[in-house]
């Protein structure tokens, strides 16, 4: 029974990490560039709209559920170290929770909040937007890489189990 739960968590985590890695990849490779090209006020308004809608969508249960599953897998692996795939489970969970979740909470969300607090057409808005495009995208690259690596590690753990 416990092994079936672990297998289910691994599959859920691998799929969740893969879906989120794809979303973050899209932002890193073309969405942020496109938003930067449409002008400050329009870009800020579009990103603020995305940030409002995303937390009201299916993204949030997947974001939080995958984080919880990754954390549970890492904890389980620490206590069942001798089992096949434990190292991959621990590493996948750590990469995901730290590289995606903690990064989001510590870096991306505060940047989103700062962007939401400015007048999109103001001089302050221009300063915040310039910093936002650079800094938010940098931390999004970290989330993309962490989610992708965690997905691969969870798939590896499934394979060796």
């Amino acid at each position: 029974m416990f092994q079936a739960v672990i297998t289910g968590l691994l599959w859920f985590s691998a799929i969740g990490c893969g879906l989120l890695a794809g979303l973050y990849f899209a932002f890193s490779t073309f969405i942020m560039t496109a938003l930067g090209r449409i002008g400050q006020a329009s870009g800020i308004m579009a990103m603020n709209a995305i940030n409002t809608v995303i937390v009201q969508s299916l993204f949030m249960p997947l974001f939080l559920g995958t984080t919880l599953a990754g954390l549970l897998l890492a904890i389980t692996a620490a206590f069942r170290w001798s089992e096949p795939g434990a190292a991959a489970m621990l590493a996948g969970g750590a990469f995901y929770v730290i590289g995606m979740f903690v990064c989001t909470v510590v870096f991306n969300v505060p940047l989103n909040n700062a962007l939401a607090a400015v007048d999109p057409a103001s001089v302050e808005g221009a300063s915040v937007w310039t910093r936002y495009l650079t800094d938010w995208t940098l931390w999004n690259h970290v989330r993309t890489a962490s989610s992708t690596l965690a997905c691969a590690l969870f798939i590896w753990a499934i394979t060796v189990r």
Side-chain angles (χ1 to χ4, degrees), residues 24-33 47 98-100 102-104 106-109 111-112 128-147:
Y24 299 144
F25 179 79
F27 271 89
S28 282
T29 58
F30 62 88
I31 294 172
M32 295 308 291
T33 301
M47 193 66 196
I98 296 166
M100 191 292 299
V102 172
C103 180
T104 299
V106 172
F107 299 108
N108 294 88
V109 169
L111 289 165
N112 290 344
V128 170
W129 183 235
T130 299
R131 184 177 143 236
Y132 186 91
L133 286 170
T134 303
D135 294 354
W136 191 95
T137 304
L138 168 70
W139 293 113
N140 194 65
H141 292 335
V142 173
R143 298 188 311 170
T144 303
S146 297
S147 298

Side-chain angles (χ1 to χ4, degrees), residues 41-59:
S42 297
I44 291 172
M45 289 187 294
M47 193 66 196
N48 283 337
I50 290 168
N51 289 334
T52 299
V53 171
I54 201 165
V55 297
Q56 300 168 347
S57 71
L58 289 175
F59 168 83

Side-chain angles (χ1 to χ4, degrees), residues 39-97:
Q40 164 194 325
S42 297
I44 291 172
M45 289 187 294
M47 193 66 196
N48 283 337
I50 290 168
N51 289 334
T52 299
V53 171
I54 201 165
V55 297
Q56 300 168 347
S57 71
L58 289 175
F59 168 83
M60 285 308 291
L62 183 65
F63 174 85
L64 295 172
T66 305
T67 300
L68 179 59
L71 181 61
L72 290 172
L73 288 168
I75 291 168
T76 300
F79 287 104
R80 301 173 76 97
W81 190 248
S82 63
E83 292 186 11
M89 286 171 37
L90 179 63
F95 273 109
Y96 192 75
V97 171

